[in-house]
Amino acid sequence: MTVHGAALGLAGLNAALPADAEAAFARCCGARRWAEAMAAARPFRDEADLHARAAAAFDALGRDDWLEAFRAHPRIGDRDALRAKFADTRAWAEGEQAGALGAADNVVDALADGNRAYEARFGHIFIVCASGLGAAEMLARLRARLDNAPDAELEIAAEEQRRIARLRLDKLLEAAAPATNGEARNT
């Protein structure tokens, strides 16, 4: 069982010290109140129970909590921020943003321009559950959402944050891969 990097599994998550559990949940969603609520909700009976309690904890969040969660993400396509500021979730975010990180420079530049326009309009970064999306699709979603009313956009961004957290919760639950040839294996 580890908190930073490797999966905990359900038993490890249930057995973790409160501060370690909270830190693990904070890697899934940067809203402090959500991470605290999840750490306090343990033990979880099974994966379905964990996801149900996560949904209930999300339902209790307000605007400031969502904005706090958004600040825990690098901008889509921002390689420098991903490496520097978001080291704790870098591996997850790199996997989630793989479609943007390998994109052509003109698409990455358009994402950067779109991110600036989005932030100027809404006051927070563009949040999208990027897993499985190519850079062009992320850019199209960003551009389509620029016309939303601010309150509607906050709800959409919050739903995207929920989707990201669900994927990351699943990563916490993944059983650590068994060691081979007597060597420890990093996951």
Side-chain angles (χ1 to χ4, degrees):
M1 168 184 70
T2 65
V3 175
H4 302 287
L8 293 173
L10 189 63
L13 192 56
N14 282 338
L17 295 172
D20 290 341
E22 192 174 316
F25 288 121
R27 292 182 68 220
C28 298
C29 175
R32 187 182 71 260
R33 280 188 348 130
W34 182 84
E36 290 169 352
M38 290 301 293
R42 297 172 309 138
F44 304 106
R45 290 184 309 277
D46 52 30
E47 185 176 334
D49 183 40
L50 172 103
H51 285 298
R53 291 186 194 207
F58 277 128
D59 290 343
L61 298 183
R63 176 182 178 77
D64 290 342
D65 300 308
W66 290 117
L67 295 175
E68 180 183 28
F70 302 164
R71 287 190 298 271
H73 290 277
R75 287 175 186 88
I76 294 290
D78 187 342
R79 294 176 182 106
D80 294 334
L82 189 59
R83 289 184 189 108
K85 185 176 177 186
F86 300 95
D88 239 13
T89 57
R90 177 181 172 183
W92 286 353
E94 280 180 343
E96 293 159 1
Q97 293 191 26
L101 295 176
D105 287 344
N106 66 323
V107 177
V108 174
D109 290 344
L111 278 167
D113 291 343
N115 277 320
R116 282 189 290 275
Y118 183 97
E119 287 180 52
R121 174 151 170 71
F122 299 112
H124 58 82
I125 71 165
F126 172 67
I127 298 291
V128 65
C129 185
S131 290
L133 300 180
E137 189 171 356
M138 288 180 234
L139 180 58
R141 289 183 185 196
L142 187 156
R143 288 176 173 161
R145 287 171 48 188
L146 277 170
D147 291 331
N148 290 335
D151 288 342
E153 181 54 29
L154 182 68
E155 288 181 29
I156 292 167
E159 187 56 36
E160 292 293 318
Q161 172 62 59
R162 284 179 186 247
R163 292 179 62 211
I164 293 164
R166 183 177 177 90
L167 290 173
R168 290 179 174 188
L169 281 170
D170 289 342
K171 290 174 185 177
L172 282 180
L173 295 178
E174 291 172 354
T180 57
N181 298 331
E183 296 179 13
R185 182 172 166 153
N186 294 326
T187 55

